[in-house]
Structures are given as structure tokens and as C-alpha cells.
Amino acid sequence: MVPSLAAQAHSARIGSVINSVINTAALDFKDLSAIAVTKGPGLAGCLAVGLQAAKDIVRLHKNLSLVAVNHMEGHALVPRLDNPSISFPFLTLLISGGHTQLVVCKQVGDYAMLGDSLDDAVGECIDKVARALNLPFRGGGGRAIESFAAIGVVSDEFELQVPLKHTKNCDFSFSGLKSACLNLLAKHPDITTNDTKKANFAATFQHTITLHLSDRVRRGARWCRLNIPQVKHLVLSGGVACNKAIRAALDNVAASEGLLLCAPPPALCTDNGVMIAWAGIENLLAQKGLVTDLDSLRFVPRWPLDSSGTDYFPGTHMLHNKTKWEKSAAQTKAAIAEGDKRPHLFFSLARDLSRLQNYSEALNICNEGLSVREI
Ligand code: KG4
Ligand code: ZN
């Protein structure tokens, strides 16, 4: 297949960035052992471009191995680059624009997902509220929320509720808080125009988020004490981990639960190439993630760190997701049965069925989707 002009332009641009990095580091490709590349999760377009560039390099330089890395694994492992005393197993809170997850890193490639967001990610919620507050948005709204919060006072007047206060597990939820903020700001536009009110609102919003994260992490730390007492560190990573107020609150939680908080410097918290390179090194040393067949390597837009299906807190995100997928599968099945034969319905049903681990039915539906497309 001939790559499109846009794809060729992307490849050329990426090639020149990679070459300039190699030159700046005064290295040559023959000095390297491997190339690490993000296989997922993420946006298909971005993953495809990165994967293609990595494959091109490895095809050209036969001495190189290729290591496929999970983006969230990059966030989880990069704190070990700066701080080798963080040893497995450790507890990690991954807070970014796309994810909010509480994970026990047992070993490279072996992760236990204690909690996950049932809806929006924390960074997504922060960014939406920052936009509604008309805050400067360079690199996401989190930095601006933090600056305004620093000069504001936490206030009850906004009546923001801590999410999932009575849910006894480690899951997160941010869509309710986001909607409450957006509704309030729509009803009281003076908050966005008066700097004092804006600062107080930002402080209260950030405080509410901090209480939610702290509550979940405390529960996770206690679970570790009972189930994996070797856990000594709480690692904080992802773009939202740049936030000093959140770091300070989690430092207190960690200390009161007998753990040591470790968070990488901000440049390694937000998305960066170093974290993927580092996760590549960790995988290579553990003999994991090595790609043996370049042609069959594909990106994976959704790639959970823990696919074991273990429900550590019965009734958690596992059950929540299961119910969601069952409902969506039933709706799609009904639409197909009523005569809607658009191919994407078959593919979406197949995806839900495979998430429900009903692989044989998923394969049949997928084949049906392919035959419908050919007609
Ligand atoms: O990890 P990241 O760079 O990208 C993703 O993988 O999503 O995280 C980006 C998120 C954005 O939502 C951004 O607003 C947030 O990190 N962020 C912050 C701060 N700096 C970046 N959130 C709160 N406080 C900050 N100082
Ligand atoms: Zn990220």
C-alpha cells in the first residue's frame, strides 16, 4: 500500500526530529540497543505515526530491537529513573488528561488495577472547568487552575461535593463534579469575571479534587497493607501530578499510611519521550515487550495496564464496565435485528463482546461486519 501524502509528510517530519535528537546526543543508531515505541493507549493517528517511524528505523538498522510500550506504563515506571530506591511492588496514582488510575506495580508488565475512573479523567475535568473559567490554556488548563487556586480561599458557598464519598472502593468519578462546576459557572457568570471569585472557585475546585484523590489513595494504601505489605512507596505520575497542592496532600496521606511519596519532576510527569524510553529499558531488561514480528505489530487505542479481570474491590469499575458493555451490546444487537446493517454496528458489537470475553461470538460478528462491508 502506498502511504498517503499526509502520512509521508508526518514520517519525514518525525525522521528529522529523531535525527536531530540523535545528533544533539552525539550518538549514532549503531550505539543503541533498541527503539521503544508507544503501542497504546491513545489516539489512533498519533500511535500510527509513531509506530511507523519506529518500524522504519528498526528495518533500516538491523542491530536494533523494538520494544512496544504502554503509555501508562511509561508514566508508572519513569519515577524509577530518578529514584532507583523505588522497588517493586509499589503503589502508583496515575493522573493525566486521559486516565485516573490507582495501580499496584508488582513487576514490569504485571499490574493490579485497584481503581479506575468510571467516567472522565481528572485532567479532562480540570481542563473543561479551566475553559469555562476563561483561564489561559497553554498545555492544558491545570497550570492556570493551580495558579488561581494558590491565591484563593476554599469556600462552602459553591457547594461542590466530593465524588463517590460513600462508595467503598478505589474508583474515581469526575463527570458529576465537572457538570456541577459548568452549571454553576453558567448560572453565575460573575465568577468568571471577578478575579477574587475566580480564585476562590479554583481553590475550592482543586480542593474537592484533592479530597477525592486522597480518599481513594488512602483506601488503596490500606488495601496494600493487608494484601501486599511489601509496598513501601506511593508513586505519583501523569500531568496532573505537577500540581503542588495535590502532591502536598498526597504526601500527607502517604506519610500517615506509612508510605513514602515519590513524584518525578514536572517535566517527567507530563507526557514526554523519556518515560517511553525508560519503560523500554525496563522492559528490555525484563525481556518483555520485545517485538519479534514487525509486520504484525499494530497500535492498540485501548490497552488496559491490567487485563487480568481481577475484581479487587467487588462491585468496582469491573462491574461498572461490564454493565456498560452489556447494555451497549444489547442495544447494538437490537438495532441489527431491526434491520440496521451498517458495518460499524457489527464492529462496535464485536468490540463489546470481546470486552465481555465472548471471543467466538465477537469473531462471528466481526466476520459478518466484513461481509456486509463487501456487499
Ligand atoms: O500526562 P499528560 O501530560 O497527558 C496525558 O497523558 O493526558 O497530562 C495532561 C493533563 C492536562 O489535563 C493538564 O491540564 C494537566 O495534566 N496538568 C495539570 C497541571 N499541569 C498539567 N493539572 C493540574 N495542575 C497542574 N499544575
Ligand atoms: Zn500521559
Side-chain angles (χ1 to χ4, degrees):
M1 192 167 48
V2 181
S4 70
L5 282 177
Q8 287 179 33
H10 269 307
S11 292
R13 217 170 304 141
I14 286 214
S16 81
V17 170
I18 293 170
N19 285 333
S20 90
V21 168
I22 290 280
N23 290 338
T24 312
L27 286 172
D28 191 283
F29 282 108
K30 69 177 177 334
D31 302 320
L32 308 180
S33 330
I35 296 292
V37 65
T38 308
K39 181 171 131 180
L43 296 175
C46 305
L47 296 171
V49 169
L51 223 52
Q52 191 54 52
K55 284 183 185 179
D56 289 348
I57 294 172
V58 173
R59 284 201 175 103
L60 205 62
H61 303 277
K62 306 276 183 237
N63 58 313
L64 295 175
S65 308
L66 185 62
V67 187
V69 170
N70 183 307
H71 177 88
M72 298 314 289
E73 184 179 39
H75 279 304
L77 297 182
V78 75
R80 280 163 48 86
L81 166 65
D82 250 12
N83 186 346
S85 77
I86 305 171
S87 55
F88 295 105
F90 59 89
L91 179 63
T92 180
L93 176 67
L94 304 175
I95 38 180
S96 71
H99 294 82
T100 316
Q101 298 180 329
L102 190 62
V103 180
V104 181
C105 297
K106 296 198 261 182
Q107 272 302 333
V108 175
D110 187 4
Y111 305 102
M113 182 81 69
L114 301 188
D116 197 357
S117 181
L118 302 181
D119 37 61
D120 295 353
V122 55
E124 189 182 346
C125 169
I126 290 176
D127 292 347
K128 296 252 166 69
V129 171
R131 271 195 202 282
L133 274 174
N134 283 331
L135 293 178
F137 203 77
R138 206 163 167 271
R143 213 177 322 152
I145 290 275
E146 182 175 8
S147 313
F148 266 84
I151 50 169
V153 179
V154 175
S155 162
D156 286 343
E157 72 173 293
F158 304 115
E159 297 181 352
L160 298 183
Q161 303 294 319
V162 179
L164 302 183
K165 228 165 144 181
H166 303 292
T167 312
K168 297 197 182 322
N169 59 39
C170 288
D171 288 333
F172 305 88
S173 168
F174 290 96
S175 73
L177 177 62
K178 177 192 71 185
S179 303
C181 290
L182 300 187
N183 290 340
L184 193 80
L185 294 174
K187 233 193 242 170
H188 301 282
D190 52 311
I191 300 175
T192 53
T193 49
N194 174 316
D195 273 356
T196 308
K197 285 188 185 171
K198 199 191 273 200
N200 291 349
F201 183 83
T204 310
F205 170 62
Q206 182 178 275
H207 182 66
T208 311
I209 285 180
T210 306
L211 289 179
H212 183 34
L213 295 176
S214 299
D215 174 57
R216 308 281 106 176
V217 168
R218 190 180 296 284
R219 199 180 294 280
R222 288 180 183 172
W223 184 91
C224 285
R225 198 152 65 227
L226 286 176
N227 296 284
I228 316 183
Q230 306 89 311
V231 168
K232 295 285 173 273
H233 291 92
L234 168 64
V235 161
L236 192 57
S237 196
V240 181
C242 296
N243 188 293
K244 293 190 204 68
I246 293 177
R247 282 184 185 227
L250 289 170
D251 199 12
N252 281 334
V253 173
S256 67
E257 298 299 327
L259 299 177
L260 196 63
L261 181 88
C262 303
L268 294 183
C269 281
T270 46
D271 283 356
N272 62 86
V274 173
M275 71 187 201
I276 301 305
W278 177 255
I281 292 172
E282 295 247 38
N283 271 281
L284 201 58
L285 293 175
Q287 291 291 299
K288 290 186 175 165
L290 275 168
V291 177
T292 46
D293 178 7
L294 282 186
D295 294 331
S296 62
L297 176 64
R298 300 272 181 277
F299 58 83
V300 189
R302 284 172 190 271
W303 183 11
L305 267 183
D306 175 4
S307 50
S308 70
T310 311
D311 210 354
Y312 300 94
F313 293 83
T316 65
H317 56 273
M318 305 289 297
L319 182 67
H320 176 89
N321 288 339
K322 193 166 170 257
T323 314
K324 199 167 73 182
W325 298 330
E326 277 170 353
K327 195 169 153 204
S328 145
Q331 278 170 352
T332 322
K333 251 185 205 170
I336 292 173
E338 277 168 25
D340 191 345
K341 303 286 180 201
R342 285 175 296 166
H344 78 268
L345 287 181
F346 290 86
F347 299 135
S348 118
L349 177 56
R351 190 187 55 201
D352 285 334
L353 290 169
S354 64
R355 282 168 169 166
L356 291 162
Q357 302 190 349
N358 190 346
Y359 299 114
S360 57
E361 199 184 344
L363 190 63
N364 289 340
I365 294 288
C366 198
N367 283 333
E368 244 185 274
L370 288 173
S371 62
V372 174
R373 194 163 67 177
E374 277 159 12
I375 289 169

